[in-house]
Amino acid sequence: MAMNFKRKFLTALVMSTLLGAGAAHASKDNVIRIGVLTDFSGTYADIAGKGALTAVEMAVEDFSKDRTVNGKKIEVIYADHLNKADIAASKAREWYDTQGVDIIVDLATSSAALAVTAIAEQKNKIALVTTGGALPLTNDKCTPVTLHWVYDTYSLTAGTAKTVVDSGKKSWYFITADYVLGHSLEQEAAKVVKANDGEVKGAARHPFPGSDFSSYLMTAQSSKADVIALANAGSDLANTIKQANEFGITTSKQTVLPLLMFISDVHAMGLKTTQGLTLTEAFYWNRDEKTRAWARRFYQRAGKMPTSAQAGDYSGVTNYLKAVKATGTTDTATVMKYLKSTPIDDGLFKGQIRADGRLAHDMLLVQVKSPAESKEPWDYYKIKSVIPADVATMPLSQSQCKLVKK
């Protein structure tokens, strides 16, 4: 299966190149082209990757059986940005300029997402961010063409960090990935800790990607902090938690707290390793009948349950296509105006897109089940509480976004 996907991936890249500028411009008026630009081979491949492409394809097929809207054919292309901002920016520029791409979707890695949203603004095209989570995307780096759909570092810490501090665990130590998302996670969590009479005892920055986290964990352990907060993600997060288990930290008085963890991470590590961990999620497949029905269809195609980012890919593309159909155009300003004025409610996400481009929606505070509590494969979470959208989203009164009227 992996080799088959690899062949298809390489073929798609070759075909994307062969289309050429002339062919793309010639077909531009007759094709709505969606570009899935994300991590297909690295740290975030399980979070986004092939599953992101599957979710987008499902959205297109569910929207229109003949894959058309307003008489125009809908096409999906994709590429691996290798978690590098320069590659992401180059591919975005190529897609917008020569491939007739109308919207770029997913954008794992916040540095890549920020690079692409800047290009999108220059080209007056839409960028839909689902996997990238840095707050600046809709704060000081906001653009009129950015949609930030699933989560950001504010929404993640508004639930998890406050709950843990309120439980009496006041002193924190951060192990942080040394890049945009890691810095943003640490910064937002630290704000919550300090605002609730807690203290930050220290922080260690690790390179991305990493493999050996032993020195960082030993320093965090010796700090005697109540909480060792992990401001990283993907395989970095998994390796940190596994090594914390090996050192006996997860069974000690210190609390190991993942600030960004996906269901794919829990699946990869197993319930024995992750049981009892508390985290904030934007989507859980087993929440209700609608999420279960969609997720099981996704499972039939992908062989796994969807992450919140992949669910966001489906939701975001579905609503984009609805906007194109309703307005009769792919004009960026018209589509964005429609999206920001129309409530979102597609069975997976429910909320409202704000002036800054952020989809404000409820978040879920969850705890990972023990093996004994899990009733079926992928039944991993206990929903502890629902964090309302107005609590989970940074108030516009605090925003630095140029689109927000004070």
Side-chain angles (χ1 to χ4, degrees):
M1 182 179 291
M3 287 301 295
N4 185 45
F5 176 78
K6 186 176 181 180
R7 282 194 292 271
K8 289 181 179 179
F9 179 69
L10 291 174
T11 299
L13 289 181
V14 172
M15 290 303 293
S16 175
T17 302
L18 292 178
L19 277 171
H25 285 297
S27 63
K28 187 175 180 181
D29 292 336
N30 300 312
V31 176
I32 295 172
R33 191 164 286 112
I34 301 168
V36 182
L37 185 58
T38 192
D39 178 5
F40 281 94
S41 57
T43 303
Y44 307 128
D46 286 340
I47 296 167
K50 291 184 285 184
L53 182 61
T54 297
V56 171
E57 289 285 1
M58 287 177 66
V60 172
E61 293 166 13
D62 288 350
F63 181 80
S64 171
K65 290 183 179 179
D66 63 356
R67 298 174 69 96
T68 65
V69 57
N70 299 337
K72 295 183 179 182
K73 183 180 179 182
I74 306 168
E75 288 185 356
V76 178
I77 63 174
Y78 59 96
D80 190 342
H81 61 35
L82 304 177
N83 293 316
K84 296 183 182 297
D86 58 341
I87 293 176
S90 176
K91 179 56 67 174
R93 191 175 287 107
E94 174 196 339
W95 277 359
Y96 288 140
D97 285 346
T98 70
Q99 302 298 321
V101 168
D102 296 286
I103 181 171
I104 293 180
V105 180
D106 195 273
L107 298 171
T109 309
S110 292
S111 57
L114 286 164
V116 171
T117 55
I119 298 297
E121 183 176 23
Q122 294 172 17
K123 305 298 181 181
N124 193 31
K125 296 287 187 176
I126 296 175
L128 169 64
V129 183
T130 60
T131 304
L135 183 61
L137 283 159
T138 50
N139 194 25
D140 55 302
K141 302 294 184 182
C142 75
T143 82
V145 300
T146 299
L147 294 168
H148 201 184
W149 210 262
V150 180
Y151 70 94
D152 59 25
T153 48
Y154 185 98
S155 65
L156 295 173
T157 56
T160 311
K162 189 173 189 312
T163 298
V164 173
V165 174
D166 287 348
S167 74
K169 296 182 178 293
K170 299 288 189 178
S171 60
W172 287 50
Y173 188 96
F174 289 90
I175 296 178
T176 303
D178 193 10
Y179 67 144
V180 175
L181 178 66
H183 298 170
S184 188
L185 275 171
E186 179 188 325
Q187 181 180 25
E188 294 305 315
K191 287 180 183 177
V192 174
V193 172
K194 294 172 183 177
N196 290 274
D197 300 321
E199 67 168 321
V200 175
K201 286 200 165 186
R205 301 279 173 87
H206 70 78
F208 168 78
S211 57
D212 184 1
F213 298 89
S214 57
S215 63
Y216 309 114
L217 285 164
M218 296 306 290
T219 302
Q221 187 177 41
S222 64
S223 75
K224 306 296 184 182
D226 298 326
V227 177
I228 300 176
L230 308 182
N232 54 11
S235 59
D236 285 345
L237 174 74
N239 287 331
T240 311
I241 292 175
K242 288 175 184 177
Q243 289 169 34
N245 268 320
E246 292 169 5
F247 294 141
I249 298 174
T250 53
T251 56
S252 70
K253 291 183 178 180
Q254 289 179 302
T255 296
V256 174
L257 185 70
L259 295 176
L260 175 56
M261 188 162 74
F262 292 85
I263 197 168
S264 54
D265 300 316
V266 176
H267 184 74
M269 289 183 278
L271 293 181
K272 186 176 180 181
T273 298
T274 57
Q275 61 184 315
L277 291 176
T278 299
L279 63 143
T280 300
E281 272 275 28
F283 169 90
Y284 178 41
W285 75 269
N286 206 14
R287 183 181 183 182
D288 57 40
E289 287 303 320
K290 288 182 179 179
T291 57
R292 281 190 285 274
W294 179 80
R296 284 175 174 141
R297 288 199 297 121
F298 179 93
Y299 183 88
Q300 290 175 353
R301 297 177 60 151
K304 61 180 182 179
M305 286 300 178
T307 64
S308 58
Q310 291 158 350
D313 290 319
Y314 178 92
S315 173
V317 169
T318 294
N319 285 281
Y320 169 75
L321 292 174
K322 286 180 180 178
V324 170
K325 183 176 182 179
T327 60
T329 182
T330 57
D331 175 71
T332 295
T334 304
V335 170
M336 289 296 292
K337 182 178 179 180
Y338 179 89
L339 286 168
K340 288 183 177 181
S341 63
T342 306
I344 303 299
D345 188 1
D346 51 42
L348 304 186
F349 287 83
K350 181 178 181 179
Q352 184 76 47
I353 300 172
R354 309 190 311 175
D356 58 1
R358 181 73 167 92
L359 173 60
H361 58 80
D362 295 347
M363 298 287 286
L364 304 173
L365 184 69
V366 303
Q367 186 176 53
V368 180
K369 291 183 175 182
S370 68
E373 291 171 318
S374 179
K375 304 301 182 185
E376 61 178 305
W378 294 89
D379 175 30
Y380 294 158
Y381 293 155
K382 292 182 286 187
I383 298 177
K384 305 297 287 184
S385 64
V386 176
I387 307 165
D390 61 345
V391 174
T393 316
M394 186 182 73
L396 289 177
S397 60
Q398 298 178 20
S399 177
Q400 299 176 49
C401 175
K402 62 191 176 186
L403 305 172
V404 175
K405 296 179 180 179
K406 298 294 187 177

